[in-house]
Amino acid sequence: MYQNLEEHNRLVNRYLKIFFIVTLYWSTSILTVFVNKHLLSSESVNLGAPVFMSWFQCVVSAAICFAMSRCSRKYPSVFSFPNGDPLNIDTFRKILPLSLLFTLMVGANNLSLKYVSVAFYYIGRSLTTVFSVLLTWLILRQRTSFKCLLCCAAIVVGFWLGVDQESLTTVFSWRGTIFGILSSLALAMYSIQTKKSLSYVNEEVWLLSYYNNLYSIVLFLPLIILSGELETIITYPHLLAGWFWAAMILSGFCGFAIGFVTALEIKVTSPLTHNISGTAKACVQTVIATHYYNDARSALWWTSNVMVLVASAAYTRFKQLEMLRRHQQQSITTQKA
C-alpha cells in the first residue's frame, strides 16, 4: 500500500513537472514570436535585419550564461552553474552539429517571421512532424506505421490548403513560406540532435545553452555579411536610440529563454513530444494573433489549421500506442528469457 502511494506521488510530481515546463515553453515561445515580429515589421521599429537580430539574441544568451558561470564560481552558495570549457576542442567538435542546426533554425525562423504574418507563421512551420518521420527513416532506418503516414499526409494537405488560402491575401510571401519549411526541417533535426548533445554535457541544459549560443555567435557573422544586412544595420535610423536597444535586449532575453526551455522540454519529454507541443502551441498562437491584429480569415483557412492540429495529435497518439506495445512485447520477451 505504501509503495503504491509512493509510486503514485512520484508519477503525479513527474506529470506536474512536465505540465509546468510545457506551459513555460508555450508562454515563452508565444511572447518571443510577438516581440520578434514587432522588431522586424512594426512601423515604429521595422529593423528589417532578421539575421542580425538572431545574432544579437545569441550574444545576449551567451552573456547571461557567462555571467551565471562567473557568479557561481564567486558565490557558489547563491548561484549554481555547471563547470565546462567552451574552448575545449573536443567539446566544440561534439556540440558544433547542434549549433549549426540551431543557427539554421533560428535564422530561418526570423526570416520567415519577417515576410509572413504571425497567424500564418504556424502553417508555414507545420511540417516539422513530417520531416521527423522522414529523418527517422533516412537516418535510423525506422519505418513508420500506415496510420502515422496517413496523419503525415493529412498534415501536408492542411499545409497546402493553408498556403492556398493565404495566397489569396495581400500579405502572402513565398519567400517567407520557404523559410518556414526550412525552419521546420531544422527544428526536426535540432530536436533529435539535442537529445544526443545533452549526453555530452551530462544532461546539463545550462551548459548546452551556453555552448550552443557561443558557437552560434561565430556562425551567424558570415551570414550577416552574405545576406547584405551589414549595410541595413549601419544605415538604420534608430541605431543609437536607447529604446531600440532596450527592445533588442528584451528580444535577446526572449531568445535565451526559448532556447533554454526548448532544451529543458526535450530533456523531460522527448523530441517527438516537443514537436507536437510546438504544433499545439502554434495553434493557440494563431488564435491570439488573429484577434490581436484584427486579422479576419476564411473558413477554409481555419480548416487548414484544424487539419494540421488534429492530424498532429492523432500522430502523437498512434506513436504512443506503438511505443506501449513495443514496451509490452519487450517485457514479455524478458520474462520468458
Side-chain angles (χ1 to χ4, degrees):
M1 180 69 179
Y2 175 76
Q3 290 180 343
N4 290 336
L5 181 61
E6 186 178 348
E7 180 66 21
H8 172 75
N9 291 335
R10 189 159 50 244
L11 287 173
V12 169
N13 290 334
R14 172 171 169 75
Y15 286 130
L16 285 175
K17 179 181 179 181
I18 291 174
F19 174 78
F20 171 76
I21 291 173
V22 170
T23 303
L24 183 63
Y25 167 73
W26 280 35
S27 304
T28 305
S29 180
I30 291 174
L31 176 63
T32 302
V33 168
F34 278 88
V35 169
N36 288 349
K37 183 63 177 178
H38 180 74
L39 281 169
L40 291 170
S41 305
S42 67
E43 294 181 2
S44 58
V45 184
N46 194 22
L47 175 61
V51 180
F52 169 74
M53 189 178 72
S54 303
W55 173 81
F56 188 80
Q57 288 173 343
C58 290
V59 170
V60 173
S61 299
I64 292 172
C65 292
F66 178 77
M68 287 291 295
S69 175
R70 292 300 175 185
C71 288
S72 68
R73 294 181 182 181
K74 195 169 184 179
Y75 308 104
S77 59
V78 180
F79 297 95
S80 177
F81 195 93
N83 293 323
D85 180 14
L87 301 181
N88 181 279
I89 189 64
D90 187 54
T91 299
F92 175 77
R93 181 178 57 81
K94 290 178 178 178
I95 305 300
L96 182 59
L98 183 71
S99 298
L100 288 168
L101 292 174
F102 180 77
T103 302
L104 177 61
M105 179 183 70
V106 174
N109 260 345
N110 289 333
L111 282 165
S112 176
L113 195 57
K114 175 185 176 181
Y115 296 109
V116 304
S117 64
V118 176
F120 182 69
Y121 183 64
Y122 160 50
I123 290 295
R125 298 176 64 253
S126 61
L127 297 179
T128 302
T129 301
V130 178
F131 284 128
S132 294
V133 172
L134 288 173
L135 291 171
T136 300
W137 180 73
L138 290 172
I139 298 174
L140 304 177
R141 291 299 175 183
Q142 294 179 0
R143 293 187 176 183
T144 304
S145 68
F146 182 69
K147 290 181 179 179
C148 289
L149 290 177
L150 284 178
C151 292
C152 290
I155 292 173
V156 174
V157 171
F159 167 79
W160 279 114
L161 179 60
V163 170
D164 176 70
Q165 292 300 300
E166 187 73 11
S167 64
L168 301 177
T169 68
T170 57
V171 295
F172 176 72
S173 167
W174 271 112
R175 183 182 297 180
T177 303
I178 291 171
F179 279 125
I181 296 172
L182 184 61
S183 174
S184 297
L185 175 60
L187 176 58
M189 297 174 69
Y190 179 78
S191 298
I192 296 172
Q193 188 66 31
T194 297
K195 204 75 173 179
K196 181 180 179 181
S197 299
L198 278 168
S199 63
Y200 299 144
V201 292
N202 298 319
E203 303 296 320
E204 294 287 355
V205 176
W206 273 104
L207 203 56
L208 184 63
S209 180
Y210 183 27
Y211 293 160
N212 205 18
N213 282 283
L214 196 62
Y215 300 155
S216 296
I217 290 173
V218 180
L219 295 173
F220 268 120
L221 287 175
L223 296 179
I224 293 174
I225 297 172
L226 292 174
S227 63
E229 289 187 6
L230 194 59
E231 183 180 354
T232 303
I233 299 162
I234 295 173
T235 58
Y236 183 65
H238 307 300
L239 188 62
L240 301 179
W243 61 264
F244 167 70
W245 288 108
M248 287 291 288
I249 291 172
L250 174 61
S251 174
F253 272 96
C254 288
F256 164 75
I258 190 60
F260 181 81
V261 297
T262 295
L264 190 61
E265 185 178 60
I266 293 172
K267 177 182 177 180
V268 300
T269 57
S270 68
L272 173 63
T273 303
H274 169 68
N275 290 340
I276 302 305
S277 171
T279 301
K281 179 273 306 180
C283 185
V284 175
Q285 177 180 288
T286 299
V287 174
I288 295 173
T290 52
H291 282 79
Y292 182 78
Y293 294 107
N294 295 318
D295 195 0
R297 297 288 177 163
S298 66
L300 280 176
W301 188 90
W302 282 109
T303 299
S304 69
N305 282 262
V306 173
M307 283 184 66
V308 171
L309 180 63
V310 172
S312 298
Y315 176 88
T316 306
R317 181 56 180 165
F318 291 145
K319 272 294 183 181
Q320 287 175 337
L321 292 175
E322 288 175 11
M323 292 173 65
L324 180 61
R325 285 195 296 268
R326 193 178 300 116
H327 177 71
Q328 290 174 342
Q329 290 174 355
Q330 290 176 349
S331 299
I332 294 172
T333 302
T334 303
Q335 290 176 358
K336 288 182 178 179

